[in-house]
Amino acid sequence: MQKILNYINGELLEPVSKQFMDNFDPSTGSVYSLIPDSDERDVELAVKAADEAYENWSSFSPEKRSKIMVRISELMEKHIDKLAEAETVDQGKPLWLSKTGEIPRAISNIRFFGTAIEHFASEAHPMGDHAINYTVRTPIGVVGCISPWNLPLYLFTWKIAPALATGNCVVAKPSEITPMSAYLFAEICIEAGLPKGVLNIVHGLGPKVGSSIVSHPNIKAISFTGGTKTGAEIARVAAPMFKKLSLELGGKNPNIIFADCDFDKMLNETVRSSFLNQGEICLCGSRIFIERPLYEKFKTAFIEKIKQQILGDPLNEKTKIGAIVSEPHFQKILSYIELAKQEGGTILIGGNNVKPEGRCANGWFIEPTIIEGLSYDCRTNQEEIFGPVVTLTPFDNEEEVLMMANSTQYGLACTVWTENLTRAHRISQKIKSGIVWINCWLLRDLRTPFGGVKQSGVGREGGWEALRFFTEQKNICVKL
Ligand code: NAD
């Protein structure tokens, strides 16, 4: 069986413990590869390699680092089919989505930051004719990047690309649930000639490998994407060590639909924003609020659309809804559907696990599920489910919908559907989230700040924000 290996000091290595864990294909429910069960000894080796590589890598000109990163992105293009298939088998998402969404975006991440660094500049503040201040931005040193399972290579590269571009060396940990594409990425880095030790990838469990990265004294900054609870634990450890922290955490995003919206456009996008990637995207809109005059029309049309969504083998090109990433997550989603029933919700469509015929009969599949009749403040409407489950709630006016939309502990993203732009802007000002989409969803420009408020996170990724996060500023004042 294929063994995934750590990438440390430019080499692919077994973990020091020689222990491996099972890695599952969620579409079949069976083990198809093995993942290193690394521990603090592997992290130590990775930090040592990164420390040693730092002087050289940080002294490269931006242009020289850029050339290597662009080469990595070109090799990713060359291996796009292999990367896409690996992502689908490991994560459960439909293959077309890996090919057209996830992997192309991972390639863009590397290219975007690999070229942005050539345009990155710092400021000067002249004090009349008697002095000048200029600010230099230097890399931080060795940094840690920890990513989740829902968009594995996409979110992994979203962190390591700005870290590497700015001259840091990285110790990275992908999710233990979806390690394969990061392993293939390590092979690509070797092929591209990335100097050894600049990027190190240590596979394994969060409480073992992740926590060793967070608590290591030589790791000066942590960029983390994952659950809010894990983020709180990371902050608890890293804050007293005065590490720089970027935390991208959970969400429970509202999708606000006014009766004057462009109905067809809204309907098609709402299908996507509800169930793309089995609803396992932190930006999915899981609470759908519909202005009352449109409620019944929307409900009927939405259910009809969802009936047409083909669920099953992620390798089948017609499949729209693939497998749920892991058995524990599958059980968690089903338990939330039960909770919704106990809380008085009515399942309008879906609600069950599915056993597709053929090779996926033992995989983890859940029907796209639409629920109505719940209060806005019940647990189903307040807690993150992170699966193919949405709720419908009618509203009568702006004040009411804003109150319900803003009622959760989260504040990542919001979608607003209306042809009344004045209202759209008004709602956008009042909504408590880091991102608002008006008449669209998941339309991404990599230059824009990305992140959430409240318990959805601290800090912003994307564009200059990410390059600033991975650098320290020093002001130098010269008396003329
Ligand atoms: P998770 O918090 O369980 O795990 C994320 C990563 O942290 C994994 O690599 C895991 O091994 C590691 N980890 C676990 N415990 C750790 C510890 N004590 N110390 C250090 N690292 C540790 O999250 P998940 O289940 O992989 O991902 C789903 C969550 O991620 C959802 O809440 C989702 O909303 C969130 N998410 C947020 C964004 C965003 O941009 N805000 C994007 C994607 C996913």
Side-chain angles (χ1 to χ4, degrees):
M1 189 165 295
Q2 184 182 6
K3 273 185 178 169
I4 287 168
L5 298 170
N6 289 332
Y7 172 50
I8 296 176
N9 206 23
E11 289 184 69
L12 298 173
L13 300 177
E14 293 204 348
V16 175
S17 67
K18 303 286 174 212
Q19 299 298 307
F20 284 80
M21 304 178 288
D22 292 339
N23 187 32
F24 290 88
D25 171 349
S27 72
T28 62
S30 55
V31 178
Y32 83 100
S33 60
L34 297 171
I35 165 173
D37 184 8
S38 310
D39 56 34
E40 73 282 358
R41 292 170 294 175
D42 304 280
V43 171
E44 194 58 51
L45 289 176
V47 174
K48 187 167 175 286
D51 265 334
E52 284 171 9
Y54 179 68
E55 200 178 322
N56 187 39
W57 180 248
S58 59
S59 72
F60 281 11
S61 66
E63 192 185 0
K64 194 166 172 188
R65 284 198 295 269
S66 172
K67 270 200 176 125
I68 297 176
M69 291 185 68
V70 169
R71 201 179 314 144
I72 293 174
S73 73
E74 287 165 357
L75 287 171
M76 291 171 82
E77 294 268 13
K78 184 175 147 198
H79 297 298
I80 191 165
D81 289 342
K82 188 175 170 188
L83 288 167
E85 262 180 57
E87 201 73 300
T88 283
V89 171
D90 218 23
Q91 206 274 344
K93 67 184 80 235
L95 183 56
W96 62 263
L97 183 56
S98 294
K99 273 191 183 160
T100 60
E102 164 122 14
I103 304 300
R105 170 58 195 275
I107 297 168
S108 297
N109 289 341
I110 300 286
R111 189 178 297 123
F112 175 80
F113 286 111
T115 51
I117 195 61
E118 292 204 76
H119 309 270
F120 193 43
S122 53
E123 292 183 324
H125 298 93
M127 298 168 72
D129 61 359
H130 65 283
I132 184 162
N133 293 277
Y134 66 94
T135 307
V136 288
R137 281 190 173 268
T138 52
I140 298 171
V142 178
V143 300
C145 296
I146 301 174
S147 52
W149 50 255
N150 64 317
L151 302 167
L153 195 61
Y154 171 142
L155 291 172
F156 185 78
T157 50
W158 184 233
K159 296 186 173 307
I160 63 164
L164 295 174
T166 41
N168 299 280
C169 291
V170 177
V171 177
K173 192 197 103 55
S175 169
E176 60 272 36
I177 300 168
T178 52
M180 186 58 88
S181 53
Y183 172 59
L184 299 179
F185 183 77
E187 291 184 336
I188 287 173
C189 289
I190 294 171
E191 193 182 342
L194 184 69
K196 65 179 188 176
V198 168
L199 171 65
N200 303 274
I201 303 174
V202 186
H203 292 278
L205 299 172
K208 264 161 117 174
V209 175
S211 65
S212 301
I213 292 174
V214 172
S215 62
H216 200 292
N218 292 18
I219 294 185
K220 304 296 182 201
I222 301 289
S223 174
F224 169 79
T225 299
T228 294
K229 240 177 148 174
T230 316
E233 170 61 15
I234 288 174
R236 193 187 63 76
V237 176
M241 299 175 83
F242 305 108
K243 297 191 180 199
K244 246 182 147 176
L245 271 180
S246 165
L247 302 172
E248 297 296 336
L249 310 176
K252 187 77 180 173
N253 308 310
N255 179 0
I256 301 174
I257 300 169
F258 285 94
D260 70 348
C261 69
D262 180 326
F263 189 80
D264 292 339
K265 237 193 249 169
M266 174 279 295
L267 188 63
N268 288 330
E269 273 311 283
T270 298
V271 171
R272 262 173 29 92
S273 68
S274 303
F275 299 117
L276 191 70
N277 204 41
Q278 301 71 247
E280 297 165 332
I281 300 181
C282 56
L283 304 164
C284 278
S286 54
R287 295 178 295 147
I288 307 177
F289 297 103
I290 309 109
E291 203 175 8
R292 203 175 294 277
L294 194 70
Y295 189 85
E296 289 303 322
K297 179 180 172 189
F298 171 78
K299 177 170 121 180
T300 309
F302 191 40
I303 292 171
E304 271 317 301
K305 281 265 180 202
I306 298 311
K307 279 186 190 157
Q308 293 156 24
Q309 296 281 302
I310 296 174
L311 177 149
D313 190 343
L315 295 174
N316 183 332
E317 61 183 26
K318 296 210 172 93
T319 295
K320 282 278 189 275
I321 307 219
I324 300 299
V325 73
S326 69
E327 188 170 20
H329 193 56
F330 168 82
Q331 296 297 354
K332 176 187 155 184
I333 297 168
L334 290 176
S335 76
Y336 268 105
I337 294 172
E338 276 315 303
L339 174 70
K341 289 182 199 160
Q342 286 163 22
E343 289 184 319
T346 303
I347 312 281
L348 297 173
I349 187 170
N352 303 302
N353 62 328
V354 185
K355 297 255 161 235
E357 281 184 10
R359 74 167 202 107
C360 295
N362 293 318
W364 304 308
F365 294 85
I366 297 179
E367 293 170 328
T369 301
I370 307 173
I371 304 170
E372 72 169 354
L374 288 166
S375 66
Y376 75 93
D377 57 353
C378 69
R379 281 185 58 205
T380 309
N381 269 330
Q382 293 289 315
E383 297 175 15
E384 186 182 42
I385 301 174
F386 214 49
V389 181
V390 296
T391 61
L392 308 188
T393 308
F395 68 89
D396 291 304
N397 55 54
E398 277 179 41
E399 290 69 35
E400 185 193 16
V401 76
L402 275 166
M403 182 276 292
M404 295 192 287
N406 284 334
S407 68
T408 74
Q409 61 176 334
Y410 297 109
L412 186 55
C414 170
T415 304
V416 183
W417 291 98
T418 176
E419 291 296 294
N420 178 341
L421 268 190
T422 306
R423 170 156 66 196
H425 289 299
R426 197 164 50 229
I427 295 271
S428 303
Q429 297 293 324
K430 290 184 179 166
I431 200 84
K432 293 185 180 126
S433 69
I435 300 158
V436 180
W437 278 295
I438 298 171
N439 297 331
C440 59
W441 177 72
L442 202 52
L443 192 52
R444 292 281 292 119
D445 180 326
L446 303 191
R447 294 169 300 179
T448 59
F450 179 92
V453 300
K454 299 197 275 183
Q455 297 201 15
S456 288
V458 180
R460 292 290 179 272
E461 298 187 304
W464 302 135
E465 297 289 333
L467 297 176
R468 288 188 190 120
F469 173 76
F470 284 111
T471 49
E472 289 285 11
Q473 294 187 76
K474 184 189 288 176
N475 187 66
I476 299 167
C477 178
V478 188
K479 177 100 173 66
L480 300 176

